[in-house]
Amino acid sequence: MSDVGSAALSGNLAPFIRDRLFIGGEWVRPKSGRVIESIDPATEEVWAHIAEADARDVDDAVAAARAALSGPWSRLEPSRRGALIHRLADLVRQNAGELAAIESRDNGKPLRDTLGEMQRAADWLTFFAGAADKINGHQIPYSPHALAYTRREPVGVVGAILPWNSPILLCCWKLGPALAAGNTLVIKPAEQTPASILEIGRLAAEAGIPAGVVNVVPGYGKVAGAALAAHPGVNKISFTGHHSTAIKIMQAAAGNLKRCSFECGGKSPYIVFDDADLDRALSVAVHSAFRSTGQSCSLASRIFVQRRAYDAFARGLAERAARIRVGHPMDERTHIGPHTSAEQLAKTRDYIQLGLESGARLLTGGGRPSGLDKGYYVSPTVFRDVDTSSRLAREEVFGPVLAVMPFDDEEEVVRLANSTDYGLVGGLWTRDVSRAHRVAAQIEAGLVSVNTFRPVHYMLPYGGYKLSGIGRENGMEALDEFTETKAVVIDLSPNMPADPFAN
Ligand code: ADP
C-alpha cells in the first residue's frame, strides 16, 4: 500500500500538503495564499491542505492555456500528441497505488474501487491517445466544379469542472479527448476532493506534455468555478455535477457563447420483467444500486419489478443489501465506504426520512451502521412500495437508498421509467427479444442495457437526455465535443463565374 494509504490505516494523520497550483508548467502559490482544508470522510478530520485558487489564479491559468494553444502544442503531429497521452496513461498506471490512496482518503471510496478506477482512467487515456491521429475531416462532393472538405480543429481552451465522486477517472474522460483533439485545459477539481488532480498535472509534465497545456486550479465552485465558466478566454466548458450547477454555468458561459457539455445526475430505472433470469437480475441489481455508496450518477436507484416476481425480488434485495460490508475505505474487506461529505450524508438522511413519511416500507438499513461512530456512514437502505409520484421515486438521492416498486405491464413501466426529469441510464431484464428492443427504444436515456446494467466503457458514448446533460462523453462521439468543424471550399472551374450584376 502507498504511504498515504498506510498512514490512514495506522491512524498517522500527518497532513498531506500541496500548497501550490499547477499553472503554465510551474508550481505557483495561490494569489490569496489560502488552502482548502480537505476532510477525510472516514474520520471527519482535516487530512489535507490544498492550494486554493481564486479568480486571479484562474486568469493566469487561462492565459497559460491560451499561450500553449498557439505554441509548440499546436505544431505537434497528431501521432506525437497521441504518444504523449500514451505516456501519461502509463504514468497513471505506474502511480495507481498512490493516486488511489489519495482519492480514497479524499472521498471515502474503498481503496479497491479507487485502484480499479486508476486502471480505468489510464485505459481511457490510452483509447484517446490512439484516436489522436484518427480525427479526420471528409471530402464533400457538393459540386463537380469545387473541392470541398472539412477540417476538425481544436475548440481552444477547455475549462474542465470536475465532480467529487470519481475525480481522476472523470478528469480523464475529459482530458483524453480534449488533448487528442489538440485543445489545452484549465482543470478545476471539486472543493470536497481537491487533492488528487494536482498529481495529474505533475504526471502530465513528467509525460512531456508541454507547459500550459494542462493547468490545475483547485478551488471553490462559486469562486474559481464561476470565474472559469465566465472567462472570455475559455472556449468550452466540460462539466460533471449537479444540473442546478450546470444551469448556472450555462448562464455564466453565455457571455462569449462557450460550447458547453454537461454530464449531470440520473435516476436510472432498472426494470425486471417476470420472464427474466431473476437470480442474475438480483445479483447485478445489488451492486448496481449500492456501489460507491450510491454516489454515482448512473446507479440503479429505482427498481421496477413485474408483479409476479415482486415480493421475492424485494426480499432478495433487502437480504443482499444487509450483507454489504460498510467500513473504512482502506480496509480491503470494505464493500462501501462513507459518504464523501457531511452535506451528502445529510441529504441521504433527508431522503430516508421522506421515504418513511411517505408510507414506503423500509426493508433494511435507514441508519448508521453499528460500530462506526465517526465518519459519514449510512447503511444500505431498501424501501419497497415507494409511491411512484414521491420525491424518493423521482429525485436523485446520491446515496445508498433504493426505491423498489411493482408494475403490471410494459406500457405502465415505460411510463414510470420516464416519469423523472433525468435520462442518463436505464436497464431492463427480459428473455423476450422483441420486448427488449421495444422497451430499449422507448426509454428516455443516453445508455440503455439489456440483461446487464450500465456498461460504462471508453468505447460507448455516454451522456444524458433531459436534465441529465448535454453532449456525450466517451466513444469517438466525445471528440465531436472537443472539435470545431471547418468547411473549406476551393473552386475548380476554368470558366469565369457568372456576374449577376452585369446587366
Ligand atoms: P454537488 O451538488 O454534487 O456537490 P456541484 O454541481 O455543486 O456538485 O459541483 C460539481 C463541480 O461544480 C465542483 O467542481 C464545484 O466546485 C463546481 N461548481 C459549483 N458551483 C459552481 C458554479 N457556480 N460555477 C462553476 N462551477 C461550480
Side-chain angles (χ1 to χ4, degrees):
M1 189 184 294
S2 71
D3 292 349
V4 179
S6 24
L9 263 192
S10 67
N12 169 9
L13 294 175
F16 177 87
I17 298 172
R18 295 282 186 272
D19 58 359
R20 310 282 173 109
L21 308 166
F22 187 66
I23 297 178
E26 309 276 338
W27 294 99
V28 299
R29 284 190 193 287
K31 294 266 188 324
S32 69
R34 286 216 294 263
V35 291
I36 301 174
E37 294 191 330
S38 186
I39 308 283
D40 176 342
T43 62
E44 304 183 31
E45 283 168 18
V46 173
W47 84 279
H49 301 266
I50 308 296
E52 179 196 330
D54 67 16
R56 295 166 295 174
D57 304 301
V58 169
D59 274 347
D60 290 351
V62 173
R66 287 229 75 82
L69 199 60
S70 50
W73 182 239
S74 64
R75 294 187 287 277
L76 273 186
E77 283 177 19
S79 56
R80 179 78 194 119
R81 242 176 16 230
L84 294 176
I85 306 169
H86 261 300
R87 175 97 187 99
L88 177 58
D90 289 343
L91 288 170
V92 169
R93 282 191 193 94
Q94 285 160 26
N95 289 272
E98 186 70 18
L99 298 173
I102 294 172
E103 290 220 331
S104 285
R105 291 216 56 191
D106 232 12
N107 77 1
K109 198 175 276 192
L111 188 62
R112 64 183 194 176
D113 288 357
T114 49
L115 276 170
E117 284 192 5
M118 295 314 122
Q119 300 304 333
R120 279 152 55 83
D123 292 346
W124 248 263
L125 291 174
T126 300
F127 175 76
F128 285 106
D133 56 4
K134 298 167 192 71
I135 304 174
N136 302 322
H138 58 273
Q139 190 246 326
I140 303 167
Y142 101 105
S143 159
H145 306 298
L147 170 65
Y149 59 91
T150 57
R151 287 169 50 85
R152 307 273 302 278
E153 299 180 353
V155 167
V157 173
V158 174
I161 301 181
L162 305 182
W164 42 261
N165 55 346
S166 296
I168 287 183
L169 179 61
L170 298 183
C171 176
C172 290
W173 285 23
K174 303 177 190 313
L175 192 57
L179 292 180
N183 299 280
T184 61
L185 296 99
V186 176
I187 307 175
K188 195 207 79 66
E191 51 268 49
Q192 296 86 346
T193 55
S196 60
I197 304 299
L198 286 167
E199 308 305 309
I200 295 296
R202 174 174 67 76
L203 296 179
E206 201 178 322
I209 293 174
V213 173
V214 177
N215 305 276
V216 185
V217 287
Y220 287 90
K222 284 188 184 138
V223 182
L228 196 54
H231 204 293
V234 174
N235 303 96
K236 176 196 165 71
I237 295 289
S238 176
F239 164 81
T240 304
H242 199 266
H243 69 266
S244 60
T245 311
I247 290 168
K248 285 185 202 147
I249 290 175
M250 203 171 205
Q251 285 163 345
N256 65 333
L257 291 186
K258 287 182 189 65
R259 279 110 192 88
C260 289
S261 52
F262 297 143
E263 201 265 276
C264 305
K267 186 77 178 175
S268 305
Y270 187 103
I271 301 169
V272 183
F273 287 97
D274 60 14
D275 69 334
D277 179 339
L278 295 172
D279 285 344
R280 214 173 154 120
L282 182 61
S283 175
V284 173
V286 181
H287 184 246
S288 304
F290 294 111
R291 58 186 289 282
S292 307
T293 318
Q295 298 177 132
S296 164
C297 41
S298 55
L299 295 186
S301 46
R302 292 184 293 158
I303 297 196
F304 297 102
V305 187
Q306 203 161 14
R307 189 84 57 185
R308 196 164 60 84
Y310 181 64
D311 284 333
F313 203 90
R315 213 169 33 247
L317 282 169
E319 281 164 16
R320 287 174 185 237
R323 292 206 296 266
I324 294 174
R325 287 194 297 271
V326 186
H328 195 286
M330 297 298 168
D331 184 340
E332 59 190 21
R333 289 170 13 94
T334 293
H335 291 148
I336 66 171
H339 281 76
T340 298
S341 64
E343 295 75 36
Q344 204 52 45
L345 172 64
K347 204 175 143 206
T348 293
R349 285 185 173 149
D350 285 350
Y351 276 104
I352 291 173
Q353 192 55 35
L354 274 176
L356 293 171
E357 285 164 10
S358 68
R361 256 173 70 193
L362 179 68
L363 295 183
T364 187
R368 182 178 270 279
S370 62
L372 293 169
D373 301 330
K374 270 262 178 200
Y376 306 133
Y377 293 100
V378 74
S379 296
T381 300
V382 179
F383 281 106
R384 62 169 279 175
D385 310 340
V386 175
D387 177 347
T388 53
S389 63
S390 69
R391 288 181 55 197
L392 181 58
R394 297 158 61 102
E395 294 178 9
E396 184 177 45
V397 178
F398 228 62
V401 181
L402 178 57
V404 191
M405 293 156 279
F407 71 92
D408 289 304
D409 59 38
E410 194 177 305
E411 194 188 328
E412 179 193 13
V413 79
V414 167
R415 183 176 48 74
L416 291 173
N418 290 336
S419 66
T420 166
D421 292 331
Y422 295 110
L424 190 57
V425 169
L428 64 135
W429 294 76
T430 180
R431 286 190 169 103
D432 177 339
V433 73
S434 305
R435 176 156 67 191
H437 288 292
R438 226 171 24 238
V439 175
Q442 291 178 81
I443 292 180
E444 295 164 354
L447 175 65
V448 178
S449 52
V450 179
N451 297 339
T452 178
F453 193 71
R454 185 189 171 268
V456 174
H457 191 270
Y458 46 79
M459 291 177 75
L460 291 173
Y462 181 78
Y465 286 31
K466 302 189 278 189
L467 286 186
S468 288
I470 298 178
R472 292 293 176 266
E473 299 199 281
N474 312 340
M476 295 301 273
E477 280 80 353
L479 295 164
D480 297 343
E481 308 288 339
F482 292 99
T483 47
E484 289 281 13
T485 299
K486 178 183 283 175
V488 180
V489 179
I490 301 165
D491 186 66
L492 302 178
S493 165
N495 304 323
M496 273 297 281
D499 180 357
F501 296 154
N503 303 309

